[in-house]
Amino acid sequence: MLEPHHDGSELYVPVRTPRLGEVVPVRLRVPGQAPDAVWLRVVENGEPRVYPATPDGSAGGEHWFTAGVPMANPVTHYRFLLVGPQYDGGQAWLNGEGLIARDVPDAADFRLTTVEPGPAWARDAVVYQVFPDRFARSAAADGHDRPDWAQPAAWGDEPVAEGPGTGSQFYGGDLGGIEEHLDHLERLGVNTLYLTPSFPGRSNHRYDAATFDAIDPLLGGDEAMASLSTAVHARGMRIVGDLTTNHTGVAHDWFDRARTDPASTEKSFYYWTDEHPGYVGWLGHASLPKLNHNAPALTERMDAVVTRYLTDPIALDGWRIDVANMTGRQGADDLTHEVSRHLRATIESVRPDGVLIAEHFHDAGADLVAGGWHGTMNYSAFTRPVWTWLAGDSGLPFLELPSPIPHRPGPAVVATMREFGAAVPWSVTTRQWNLLGSHDTPRIRTVVGSRERVEVAAGLLFTYPGTPVLFAGDEGGAVGTTGEHGRVTMPWDQIAAGGGPDWDAETFALYRRLIALRAENRALREGGLRWVLAEDDAIGYLRETADDRILVLAARAPWAGATLPAGLGCAENLYGGGEAHGLRLSGDGPTFQVWRLH
């Protein structure tokens, strides 16, 4: 399946961020018969311009070409035109979706951007998501007063899957409990802790904040958060918080003042309506009044919140923004790009290496070229296609859709990943938060139905471009049919004993091996992405840097096997124990295999 190839990695584009007006050399790689000519098409100030690409050597049966992209605009689009008799009609375009022998829109063109990509640590991170109520209870948790909204549950009770009890079931996990179990994170190999909201609310998920002025006393308050942050940083790890810029809770002190005092500054912070209940709730939820980012005073207030928790003594390393795709969007208002750029500038003013990640469940392409979010929780380009390829027969709904998860073949999955990936610059791709599930989705073990397919899914997670994110418990085979049902407590007694009915030690071991594999191989963190295989039941790609080349094979079921081009060299197995006879890949499955090519 080797095609002509280009991406934004170091083999094809200089690593540093280009400047406006600079001419950036970009390289193209063409296997087999060399084209008669290669042209570079660049959109400059809205007008397509064409420049010749010059031959730049040959090696391993592949031909290189180089051309210059003038950075006429902060985000500059380009693609290649290959001319020769080997292409249908005598010519074909190469863009982010691959080689296409017809005219195509600009949506999948390659992109260069003058916007800095964000901190290097974020690209190299392995993120561990914790839902504080369900991770661990410290001894101090027993001394916390139980709130009036809470329905107490014993540790280990099955979470409610749906209905009114989902937001009120209360297990009492706290920040001290997380700090006591940082050894688990370190043993697993993760290096970044992401906490869902820690502000007081009237629910176990705390996305309905009652104030941004303090950490929830139920979690231990500001002192416990500062202690956790200090402990995390002492281990060379990072910690990221969760903030709702789209809404507050109905009990929030801003909203209380807005409702009780029509002359208050806070009145301008929200959207109001003549219809019941008199204000706009997020997606119609009266418990979550929608914030109006037209208010300058709201911007100032949010700036204070953002910066306070990024500085000592709490010193978070960045924020994940809840429902970022809706922040600043309401009716005729569309302020999302303005809000995201301002948030990024605010973060960088106090923490230049701070990260800003957006929650976004669908196509985030347009929002990711605006210079705001460093990346998104990458459901569209990673989670959804992986689910559709590996899903078992659970009949689970397909995220927000009212239909079950579809079963799709490898070529459709690869096409989906390429199409969504092509919508953003490579500098964003390398910082997308790839995930197999979260506190908002069923568990990956329940989605795919077997440990063998979990290994395939996890293998993709830790070898695909971007930042891998796992939800606490996935590494032990946690199950759950909905987001709420999957918010299970960590079975610490079973973990200490080396396994049990709620903790699969073999799954934990494979997660550890895959995380270590990623840490040990720069190509899996920084390398390009070149697809080499897309069969119904098997997919494969290369991750390449200037000094390394790694081949990844994932198979969901037994398949026919394949022979890769001889120019790829010989193979040394790094994971999976499989043999490549020359470059003949066996048809075993389910399996996940990684080789280094020499």
Side-chain angles (χ1 to χ4, degrees), residues 73-77 111-117 324-325 327 329 334-345 348 356 358 360 363-376 423-425 427-428 432:
N73 307 104
V75 179
T76 298
H77 296 232
R111 291 167 171 81
L112 291 176
T113 176
T114 59
V115 176
E116 292 291 340
N325 55 300
T327 294
R329 288 183 170 129
D334 192 348
L335 307 173
T336 299
H337 294 175
E338 179 181 334
V339 170
S340 67
R341 286 191 292 264
H342 183 83
L343 280 171
R344 178 168 174 169
E348 292 175 348
L356 179 63
H360 206 306
D363 183 1
D367 289 350
L368 287 172
V369 295
W373 322 120
H374 290 129
T376 65
V424 300
S427 57
V428 172
Q432 292 278 63

Side-chain angles (χ1 to χ4, degrees), residues 563-582:
T563 300
L564 299 180
L568 291 180
C570 59
E572 168 199 356
N573 190 260
L574 300 179
Y575 183 91
E579 296 183 4
H581 303 282

Side-chain angles (χ1 to χ4, degrees), residues 12-291:
Y12 304 93
V13 179
V15 173
R16 62 178 178 77
T17 303
R19 299 181 299 273
L20 200 64
E22 181 181 355
V23 177
V24 179
V26 296
R27 304 181 76 206
L28 171 69
R29 190 178 191 174
V30 183
Q33 181 182 350
D36 295 340
V38 174
W39 298 87
L40 178 75
R41 174 189 180 270
V42 184
V43 178
E44 302 176 39
N45 302 313
E47 179 68 17
R49 303 287 300 276
V50 179
Y51 302 94
T54 58
D56 192 19
S58 300
E62 298 190 297
H63 312 279
W64 290 87
F65 296 82
T66 298
V69 175
M71 289 298 297
N73 307 104
V75 179
T76 298
H77 296 232
Y78 64 99
R79 66 171 90 149
F80 295 94
L81 180 68
L82 286 70
V83 179
Q86 64 268 49
Y87 309 112
D88 290 345
Q91 62 183 40
W93 292 109
L94 182 75
N95 64 12
E97 293 184 32
L99 193 67
I100 304 172
R102 56 177 172 80
D103 284 341
V104 292
D106 295 349
D109 280 2
F110 302 110
R111 291 167 171 81
L112 291 176
T113 176
T114 59
V115 176
E116 292 291 340
W121 70 262
R123 177 201 60 207
D124 295 337
V126 177
V127 179
Y128 190 78
Q129 180 190 2
V130 166
F131 190 86
D133 184 58
R134 309 294 163 86
F135 189 71
R137 287 172 57 92
S138 70
D142 291 334
H144 300 151
D145 293 333
R146 190 174 73 242
D148 58 5
W149 53 262
Q151 300 178 28
W155 203 260
D157 282 356
E158 183 177 2
V160 176
E162 56 186 10
T166 56
S168 56
Q169 196 172 20
F170 182 73
Y171 292 80
D174 62 356
L175 299 176
I178 299 171
E179 184 175 343
E180 291 172 2
H181 290 283
L182 290 178
D183 284 349
H184 176 79
L185 278 66
E186 201 161 36
R187 181 168 173 247
L188 180 59
V190 301
N191 55 23
T192 301
L193 171 64
Y194 153 51
L195 301 175
T196 56
S198 302
F199 299 113
R202 294 190 58 79
S203 67
N204 54 36
H205 54 72
R206 297 181 171 88
Y207 283 103
D208 56 344
T211 185
F212 294 134
D213 291 342
I215 301 299
D216 194 343
L218 289 173
L219 295 176
D222 285 18
E223 183 178 351
M225 181 64 87
S227 178
L228 173 61
S229 179
T230 298
V232 165
H233 290 132
R235 294 170 184 257
M237 299 164 65
R238 305 275 181 165
I239 181 170
V240 176
D242 200 328
L243 182 64
T244 56
T245 57
N246 174 73
H247 57 266
T248 67
V250 72
H252 199 282
D253 44 23
W254 295 350
F255 191 64
D256 183 61
R257 287 193 288 274
R259 284 205 290 188
T260 57
D261 182 3
S264 66
T265 300
E266 290 81 4
K267 183 76 173 180
S268 65
F269 290 7
Y270 296 91
Y271 286 98
W272 305 93
T273 176
D274 293 334
E275 300 177 4
H276 181 77
Y279 55 89
V280 175
W282 173 65
L283 294 183
H285 297 293
S287 62
L288 302 173
K290 171 93 174 176
L291 288 167

Side-chain angles (χ1 to χ4, degrees), residues 551 553 561-566 569-573 577-588 593 595 597:
L551 171 65
L553 168 70
T563 300
L564 299 180
C570 59
E572 168 199 356
N573 190 260
E579 296 183 4
H581 303 282
L583 279 175
R584 175 67 191 175
L585 304 181
S586 73
D588 297 334
Q593 302 286 332
W595 290 275
L597 303 182

